[in-house]
Amino acid sequence: MTVRLLTERVELPIPGIGSAAARMTVLERGRVRYVVRAPHVRGTFVVVPDHIANGPVLPTTVAVQFGDGLEPLGAFYREHRPDEPVVHGVRVHGWTGNLSPDDLPTGWFLGRYASGLRNGIHRELARGTRRRTEAVILAMLTHWRGLPYRRDLMVTAAREKATEYADHEGVLAAAAEAQASELEQEYRAVRRRLCELSGILRRRPRPMQAPQADPVQLQIEDPRRGPLGQITVREVAVNAEVAGSVVYEVAGPRVTGRFTVGPNRYRPEPIPQGIWVAYGHASDRYYEDERDHAPVVNGVRLCGQWDHNTSDDITPTIPDTIGARVPSRGSAPYATELRTAAVVRALALHYLRRPDLAALRLAAARANVPHLRADTRRRLSEVKQQLAIEQRSARRHRARERELRSLISSGSRKDPLAEAA
């Protein structure tokens, strides 16, 4: 955008030094050029409004460029600009930024991009050069902040990048809105889950079948070698310590001991599905390596447990391996694991055929609800907080986008600096 150039001669008082004579010119893009002559100082300074992405819609700080030109500040990082100021015989190169005209600094403030440039090498400025350069800059900014069209300069600078920054804000707003939409769906899902868990506690417990007195014979099979014989299974207890589980006493070819079978209590479903098998008489009072009546298979005492996410895909031969451990020794021998898998599959299918399976699953669910409900409430609070953050972010970015686009539309109607002339 082209604006009418405003030029005037001004005097800049410099405390402790005297005054500087300057020719001030308003340039395009809200910039103001000062061509300064003062004791031990001559050259051009340009005051550039700092309009950056994610910053204020209207700039609140400025940078001071050493030398003339409308190119971006970093465009001449390794080359001299026209008419760079010479202070105490040193040609000052680069720029210094992040200066608030309404709160001018009192200490040293020249940034790392203010230097002396010689043969392509940046050199640190001497103390006297820095102090006099800073004094001139403070005098310039004191004059600049008193300009009657100061706000128009900021508006003009903001308008130059308004389209780019408005598009940027639109992208950020769209991302926040998409995230908020996902969080809203998750919030509804977590609320629904919390209602399901509360509903489980309100359901009446169903009667569970007492342990069967008579033992049963179950066939065990290996997916490679076929039938391995039969095991005798006797129900010892419907386990009250691990809700929904049944303890089986097993005897058969190279197998003896107890297994506890129940719903997979490690799954997150309100009504647990799948299968969980513990080696031994499971109890919450003992570690899994210290259960009573741990089974012995092929002469090897087992420990640990096995769980499966679903129950529909369990057959006499699938899954082919389940993993079995020996206390303090890691994995069981391969042959022991294969026979253990055959026994576990047979017990799992026997458990799934129980007429009171739904009652056992409900009992397991009621035992899990306090823990699951605490986790769900915590997750609901987290989702709610994150949703509020994303919604606020989306509103903020949309508001900034509207403000930036309003600068574009107002710029097509009038030129504030031209009016100021």
Side-chain angles (χ1 to χ4, degrees), residues 55-67:
V57 173
L58 287 183
T60 58
T61 60
V62 298
V64 175
Q65 167 187 301
F66 305 131

Side-chain angles (χ1 to χ4, degrees), residues 242-355:
V242 182
S245 66
V246 178
V247 181
Y248 297 102
E249 183 82 43
V250 177
R254 290 181 280 178
V255 179
T256 182
R258 293 183 181 180
F259 295 80
T260 303
V261 185
N264 187 356
R265 56 183 184 160
Y266 299 109
R267 293 293 297 166
E269 298 94 348
I271 303 292
Q273 306 296 309
I275 285 292
W276 170 78
V277 179
Y279 303 142
H281 193 129
S283 170
D284 289 338
R285 294 175 296 174
Y286 300 106
Y287 293 108
E288 61 181 41
D289 289 357
E290 301 174 355
R291 296 191 182 107
D292 294 334
H293 308 285
V296 177
V297 180
N298 286 353
V300 178
R301 183 178 180 271
L302 302 180
C303 68
Q305 58 198 23
W306 171 75
D307 58 84
H308 196 62
N309 293 342
T310 63
S311 56
D312 297 336
D313 58 348
I314 298 177
T315 71
T317 57
I318 297 175
D320 56 350
T321 59
I322 61 171
R325 294 194 303 109
V326 180
S328 304
R329 289 171 52 193
S331 300
Y334 183 64
T336 300
E337 181 183 339
L338 291 180
R339 186 167 292 269
T340 303
V343 173
V344 167
R345 290 192 296 265
L347 291 175
L349 293 172
H350 182 59
Y351 173 86
L352 292 171
R353 289 192 292 266
R354 289 180 63 93

Side-chain angles (χ1 to χ4, degrees), residues 10 23 26 49 60 132 141 194 210 226 273 294 306 362 398 407:
V10 297
R23 186 174 74 254
V26 177
T60 58
R132 183 146 300 211
L141 294 184
L194 189 59
Q273 306 296 309
W306 171 75
L362 179 59
R398 285 300 179 200
L407 288 175

